[in-house]
Amino acid sequence: MPYLMSLDEGTTSCRTIIFDENGQSVATSQHEFQQHFPVPGWVEHDAEEIRDTQFRTMREALEQSGLQPSEIASIGITNQRETVVVWDRATGKPIHHAIVWQDRRTADAIAKYDSPGNQEMVSRATGLRLDPYFSATKIAWLLDHVDGARAAAEAGRLAFGTIDSWLLWHLTGGSVHATDISNACRTLLFNLKTGQWDDDLLSLFDIPRSMLPDIRPCSCQFGTTEAGILGTAIPIGGMIGDQQSALFGQACIETGMAKTTYGTGCFLLMNTGEEVVSSQHGLLSTVAWQVEGQPAVYALEGSIFMGGASIQWLRDGLGIIDSAPDVNTLASSVPDSGGVTLVPAFAGFGAPVWDPYARATIQGLTRGSTSAHIARATLEGIALQVVDLLQAMEQDSGLQLSQVRVDGGAAASDLLMQIQADLLNRVVRRPRVLETTALGASFMAGLSAGVYSDQQDLTRYWALDREFEPALPAADRQQQLRRWHKAVERSKNWIEEKPS
Ligand code: ADP
């Protein structure tokens, strides 16, 4: 039986899962890596730590599986998107910490580009918007703030990559500098119509083309691993950004199918088929995936910066829980949030509001408010953001979704999923395999290795774990939504200048 190794490089941890050809996991290894917050609003990772952690999990998963490396038919990579690494081609060393997708340091730089003409040009070409979230202004920041970086980049000595490219480069011993189309389309440098890097965008952000990786489909031959890493050379046959990978892993392969992932952030994606649907309601148009030899498939996406990470803040920032799952016990100890609303704009607002100057707020506190109310309000805050996304998505697509598939670490919370069904007034369906992000990348690798014959082949691996039916009376839901929207207004435009 052929096995597939999926490298799932998330925002907070690296995971390697080995799947058999039926999509059943046979071994998993996962380790967190360090988050760096040098000043408020900045988020960095050490790219070498990510690489070493990822390689460690590969070795551990292989050992745990008891398989020979030669039994791995192919490797798929999925990764946190938009995060920027710039490294020296000669040494393979990063010139600076990676700047993470949540990082807001380029909010003021964005304001500099923000004219109606540029907004229009950028959104027409990329399906995205001018926002610090995406890679372009982060690359420009590195070129402008690291000594000698711009000159070195112009001389062709530096390489840029999102984490997929960074891992691929090191997996192949520095011989392949490539990305895939689902990661490329999140940089603000990729043209959705041509499927290539765009010269007008490169000149707008002043980024030398020589730094950029080659763009490939998500399922194709990317290269082989250096034999030293796992004991033998293994083909790398899949590469796909984490959210698109979850959409694929959830088998949302028909137009109109959607999923929400509750990881560090929350991401609602809907398959729009071979058509790019432009949003009128603050959503993004993005490439969902491309299998070699076939047309690209697109998606509408709503991205929220703080999902499960808000729960981590309860643990690490407030210290009111010891571990993420404890939030469920604490929040269940009260019947409701007691009028407390937590707006999780810790890193500004993503879709559909888009305000890098917004900050999180806790509103409606009284003398009776307790940590349990705050915990419950945090879960509600995560779910309420998703309600706004779903509304925007239905308006853009003209489709009414009767159900949403869910996944990601925080989807393990029954309480959060029930709150979500109640506030969405939609059925929430959780699959048995919650590791759909890793599964999507292994499907991509399996398609290129011939383990699967076509995409349709994959739908039989989706199995239901639990369905959450909405049970909240309409009047209560509407009241909660009204209070939420009032609270969102009060969180907007909170900081007035760039954090120093
Ligand atoms: P990523 O891939 O973005 O690193 P994951 O999908 O691994 O994220 O999800 C991790 C998030 O899920 C964390 O932010 C954590 O707070 C949350 N989480 C994990 N387990 C639970 C749980 N049982 N209940 C609620 N939240 C959880």
Side-chain angles (χ1 to χ4, degrees):
M1 186 193 266
Y3 293 86
L4 298 160
M5 179 182 269
S6 184
L7 316 190
D8 178 4
E9 192 290 314
T11 306
T12 53
S13 73
C14 293
R15 222 174 333 218
T16 294
I17 304 185
I18 300 177
F19 291 100
D20 67 18
E21 63 182 332
N22 298 319
Q24 297 298 315
S25 129
V26 298
T28 301
S29 165
Q30 175 173 5
H31 294 287
E32 288 203 5
F33 52 81
Q34 212 184 332
Q35 308 290 314
H36 300 269
F37 308 111
V39 296
W42 293 26
V43 188
E44 297 182 353
H45 292 159
D46 176 345
E48 291 187 297
E49 184 192 358
I50 288 181
R51 176 198 59 202
D52 296 344
T53 308
Q54 190 68 58
F55 284 15
R56 177 178 163 206
T57 63
M58 291 167 71
R59 293 190 190 102
E60 287 178 358
L62 186 64
E63 197 179 303
Q64 199 193 101
S65 71
L67 297 168
Q68 293 304 313
S70 55
E71 290 177 88
I72 307 289
S74 185
I75 291 177
I77 302 172
T78 181
N79 57 289
Q80 54 166 319
R81 308 167 302 169
E82 298 103 10
T83 297
V84 166
V85 190
V86 173
W87 68 94
D88 185 314
R89 289 180 185 277
T91 62
K93 286 211 157 284
I95 63 166
H96 190 274
H97 274 171
I99 304 183
V100 177
W101 55 274
Q102 290 174 316
D103 189 291
R104 310 272 87 198
R105 80 184 62 187
T106 57
D108 280 4
I110 285 286
K112 192 178 77 191
Y113 299 113
D114 194 1
S115 67
N118 281 345
Q119 269 291 3
E120 155 74 14
M121 191 267 269
V122 164
S123 65
R124 199 163 9 90
T126 64
L128 312 176
R129 44 191 298 125
L130 275 169
D131 191 272
Y133 174 27
F134 306 105
S135 314
T137 53
K138 299 181 197 294
I139 307 172
W141 189 93
L142 287 175
L143 296 183
D144 292 336
H145 290 82
V146 176
D147 258 359
R150 188 164 284 284
E154 275 158 9
R157 296 204 302 274
L158 298 185
F160 149 72
T162 36
I163 302 284
D164 50 305
S165 304
W166 164 251
L167 289 176
L168 180 69
W169 168 280
H170 283 281
L171 284 166
T172 59
S175 66
V176 183
H177 183 209
T179 187
D180 80 279
I181 187 166
S182 72
N183 274 294
C185 75
R186 310 294 301 184
T187 56
L188 271 192
L189 302 173
F190 174 87
N191 189 311
L192 275 185
K193 308 227 164 50
T194 63
Q196 297 299 329
W197 301 122
D198 183 298
D199 284 325
D200 289 342
L201 295 168
L202 287 170
S203 98
L204 177 69
F205 296 111
D206 202 9
I207 294 172
R209 193 179 246 275
S210 63
M211 299 178 73
L212 303 181
D214 289 344
I215 303 170
R216 311 228 176 126
C218 305
S219 178
C220 70
Q221 292 307 328
F222 285 91
T224 50
T225 58
E226 256 199 330
I229 298 172
L230 287 175
T232 188
I234 300 176
I236 301 162
M239 193 141 99
I240 179 164
D242 55 5
Q243 297 314 319
Q244 292 98 326
S245 191
L247 190 68
F248 200 59
Q250 286 266 25
C252 291
I253 61 170
E254 307 290 343
T255 305
M257 291 179 85
K259 68 86 203 177
T260 309
T261 298
Y262 300 80
T264 302
C266 280
F267 299 85
L268 175 58
L269 270 79
M270 181 200 274
N271 182 330
T272 61
E274 289 172 27
E275 187 195 351
V276 180
V277 174
S278 299
S279 176
Q280 306 303 316
H281 299 93
L283 303 180
L284 308 171
S285 312
T286 201
V287 175
W289 55 74
Q290 185 178 26
V291 172
E292 193 169 31
Q294 296 178 23
V297 173
Y298 298 90
L300 264 177
E301 170 172 330
S303 332
I304 296 167
F305 302 140
M306 293 286 288
S310 314
I311 299 168
Q312 285 175 322
W313 177 75
L314 297 181
R315 182 191 66 188
D316 305 334
L318 276 194
I320 59 172
I321 51 175
D322 290 331
S323 72
D326 288 351
V327 72
N328 301 306
T329 325
L330 184 59
S332 304
S333 68
V334 286
D336 55 46
S337 65
V340 176
T341 301
L342 185 142
V343 182
F346 295 88
F349 282 118
V353 176
W354 296 105
D355 180 357
Y357 296 100
R359 285 298 178 267
T361 54
I362 303 178
Q363 299 174 44
L365 293 169
T366 64
R367 286 284 301 270
S369 303
T370 65
S371 56
H373 293 121
I374 293 177
R376 196 163 183 114
T378 303
L379 297 182
E380 289 174 357
I382 295 170
L384 284 157
Q385 295 179 98
V386 173
V387 173
D388 286 346
L389 290 185
L390 188 95
Q391 236 166 36
M393 199 158 275
E394 291 189 336
Q395 284 166 340
D396 276 333
S397 68
L399 297 170
Q400 243 231 333
L401 294 179
S402 57
Q403 48 141 300
V404 182
R405 294 184 173 188
V406 296
D407 54 49
S413 162
D414 289 351
L415 179 61
L416 175 59
M417 294 301 102
Q418 186 56 52
I419 290 173
Q420 186 67 85
D422 286 345
L423 293 172
L424 275 179
N425 199 27
R426 297 284 188 285
V427 175
V428 165
R429 303 187 84 211
R430 187 170 67 193
R432 266 195 226 142
V433 178
L434 271 188
E435 299 298 354
T436 50
T437 306
L439 194 58
S442 92
F443 283 164
M444 284 298 171
L447 281 168
S448 72
V451 174
Y452 306 114
S453 53
D454 60 29
Q455 296 180 35
Q456 211 61 41
D457 203 16
L458 306 172
T459 53
R460 61 193 162 104
Y461 302 119
W462 197 93
L464 182 71
D465 163 46
R466 187 165 163 189
E467 205 161 68
F468 298 85
E469 297 273 353
L472 190 69
D476 293 357
R477 192 177 69 251
Q478 277 148 13
Q479 190 203 26
Q480 234 174 309
L481 288 173
R482 266 199 311 278
R483 204 168 56 200
W484 164 251
H485 288 126
K486 208 155 70 174
V488 166
E489 282 307 311
R490 291 173 182 172
S491 304
K492 282 184 188 168
N493 199 24
W494 185 259
I495 54 162
E496 280 145 22
E497 57 201 41
K498 188 177 173 183
S500 55

